[in-house]
Amino acid sequence: MARIPLSDDACDRLVASRDPIDASRLREEAVAVVSRRLRDELLAELAGELPTRQRAARGRRPGFGAARRRVGAAVAIAAVVVVGVLAMVGWLPAGGDHSGPLDVPAASAAVALERAAQVAMHSSSVVPSRDQFGFVRVKTGSVGGMGRAAGPTQPSWNVWLRTSEIKSDWYGANGSGRERIVRTSTSFLTRRDRAIAQAHGMTLPRLLATSPPTIDGAFAPRTLQTAGFLPYWQVGRLPTNPDALRRAFDQLILASDHGPGRGALMRQLRADPAGLFGPISQFLLLPTSPQLRAALFRVLAGLPGVQLLGRQRDRLGRSGIAVAVTHGNPERVRAELLFDPATSNLLQTQTVLLGNATPAQADERSAPTLPVGTVLEYTDFLSRGIVDSITQLPGGQRLPLKPTSGNR
């Protein structure tokens, strides 16, 4: 029988010191290597292979029965520890422990989003009461085309521009409110775009001449839209059961799909349900109840193909957990969402082009191709709060509504 050099307390300390859930250790070494080392170290310690000075410092030898019990307990603990690492990292790609750290490799998108839902349930309500307005400020960016038409439908040339804006919205409980959009920057996406414009005698200021730098307008009751298809005054009527909420989104999208091709959008979403990821992400920016915010996270968790990207930083340097879906074919895009796990606040959304269906043009002087990897659009959350009027900001400052040519 091998000597057992450790007391029960020492065994416990040994196991604790080899805790494989230590995130820093997992980041430094591969999981398989960590597991193998833990097993070898624990079994070596239990077999008595300690440094000479530790063996010399031992007290009296324990009895055979006590030693046997310690061997069984310690080996069982070692087995649980090693198997636990493998289970967390390799055998639970779609699940995991909801109480574990989110940056453990085993965490899945479903686990991360469920954790966000639980946090959201305990967050403060940001729903405006009567005569109040929910205020939201974001920074947005997008890539859009601009050109000059040679005929009634087709442009003779086009270029891609990248535009950034600060967008402020005041949402009234009755669907009234205000939207203010201030353009902060515009640039050609690539040097090729600039060269195409210059070849046609156009500069950036001339291209933007008909686009007002500020759009600021008020909305009458029951007119302010959210995420493009739902009047804000109806947000409070949305169910907070995730399954019912998903069905409600389908019905709303179907009802908003007008025109000669009616039903095309719904058919597209049924073929590729991941397309709901973007609209639902935008709802997380709105002034809503904790219950609805939690349900939104759970609907996202139920979409097919949602993946965990892990910890990332947004454009403002804030750290959060990122999840994403990839959809579309052959013009594949990845829709990403970054949220703060401590508050469940949405920090950033963005859409990245992964594959381009349009091959490189033979004549790039007239039609450049969007480079793969381009961020097509993004939204950075800046602030949110409750105010008493459409000219008030959180903190009490005022922002008068000044009529412009771009007013709604």
Side-chain angles (χ1 to χ4, degrees):
M1 182 69 185
R3 297 177 64 193
I4 306 302
L6 300 177
S7 66
D8 291 337
D9 291 339
C11 282
D12 292 340
R13 289 195 297 272
L14 173 62
V15 171
S17 70
R18 302 295 192 267
D19 184 5
I21 316 304
D22 183 356
S24 62
R25 184 165 184 173
L26 285 175
R27 283 194 294 268
E28 294 171 359
E29 300 179 88
V31 172
V33 174
V34 171
S35 300
R36 188 163 53 250
R37 288 186 180 179
L38 287 170
R39 179 197 62 202
D40 295 341
E41 291 170 8
L42 283 170
L43 293 179
E45 296 267 8
L46 293 170
E49 297 175 7
L50 288 176
T52 303
R53 64 178 181 275
Q54 292 187 31
R55 288 200 299 268
R58 279 187 63 253
R60 64 182 182 85
R61 179 175 177 175
F64 178 80
R68 190 171 191 177
R69 286 193 297 272
R70 272 191 220 110
V71 170
V75 170
I77 293 172
V80 169
V81 167
V82 174
V83 172
V85 175
L86 296 176
M88 287 198 315
V89 181
W91 297 347
L92 295 177
D97 185 359
H98 287 233
S99 62
L102 283 174
D103 54 351
V104 170
S108 69
V111 171
L113 290 167
E114 173 58 30
R115 184 79 58 79
Q118 294 173 8
V119 174
M121 281 293 293
H122 297 91
S123 63
S124 301
S125 176
V126 287
V127 178
S129 60
R130 185 178 179 181
D131 300 326
Q132 288 185 323
F133 294 86
F135 175 81
V136 178
R137 173 170 287 172
V138 297
K139 181 179 181 181
T140 65
S142 62
V143 172
M146 187 170 288
R148 286 293 179 267
T153 57
Q154 296 297 324
S156 60
W157 60 273
N158 72 278
V159 294
W160 295 107
L161 302 180
R162 186 190 301 278
T163 302
S164 297
E165 301 170 327
I166 297 295
K167 185 170 175 283
S168 302
D169 287 288
W170 290 256
Y171 294 93
N174 63 353
S176 64
R178 173 187 177 186
E179 184 172 74
R180 177 182 171 85
I181 303 174
V182 180
R183 188 172 67 229
T184 56
S185 68
T186 304
S187 61
F188 291 105
L189 181 62
T190 67
R191 293 180 179 178
R192 172 59 61 186
D193 294 292
R194 181 188 298 275
I196 292 173
Q198 291 176 344
H200 291 83
M202 293 298 295
T203 63
L204 192 59
R206 289 184 64 187
L207 285 171
L208 299 175
T210 59
S211 177
T214 300
I215 298 176
D216 195 0
F219 292 82
R222 298 196 174 193
T223 58
L224 186 59
Q225 299 285 315
T226 62
F229 61 87
L230 177 67
Y232 181 73
W233 65 274
Q234 292 183 347
V235 167
R237 300 184 178 186
L238 290 174
T240 56
N241 174 275
D243 293 335
L245 182 58
R246 169 65 189 275
R247 292 193 296 270
F249 277 126
D250 288 345
Q251 295 170 2
L252 287 166
I253 292 173
L254 181 62
S256 66
D257 193 7
H258 302 295
R262 179 175 171 82
L265 179 59
M266 196 64 221
R267 288 193 296 272
Q268 179 182 346
L269 286 175
R270 284 173 178 165
D272 187 8
L276 274 174
F277 188 90
I280 294 175
S281 299
Q282 294 303 309
F283 269 85
L284 286 169
L285 292 168
L286 300 176
T288 57
S289 67
Q291 294 80 8
L292 181 57
R293 286 171 54 79
L296 289 167
F297 278 113
R298 287 174 173 135
V299 172
L300 286 175
L303 293 178
V306 182
Q307 297 178 316
L308 178 67
L309 302 184
R311 284 199 173 271
Q312 294 186 0
R313 291 190 179 275
D314 65 8
R315 292 170 183 78
L316 304 179
R318 300 171 298 188
S319 175
I321 301 296
V323 296
V325 296
T326 300
H327 58 92
N329 188 28
E331 289 187 340
R332 294 185 304 114
V333 297
R334 185 174 65 226
E336 302 177 1
L337 179 156
L338 182 73
F339 64 90
D340 183 345
T343 64
S344 78
N345 282 338
L346 186 60
L347 301 178
Q348 174 182 279
T349 66
Q350 66 178 17
T351 303
V352 183
L353 181 66
L354 300 183
N356 204 323
T358 305
Q361 299 290 328
D363 183 9
E364 288 190 346
R365 293 173 298 177
S366 60
T369 300
L370 275 174
V372 171
T374 299
V375 177
L376 301 176
E377 58 184 359
Y378 70 83
T379 300
D380 294 336
F381 172 79
L382 299 180
S383 63
R384 180 167 51 209
I386 300 294
V387 295
D388 295 327
S389 72
I390 61 172
T391 61
Q392 187 181 32
L393 300 173
Q397 304 93 335
R398 295 284 174 178
L399 186 61
L401 176 62
K402 298 179 179 179
T404 69
S405 58
N407 275 4
R408 303 273 175 170

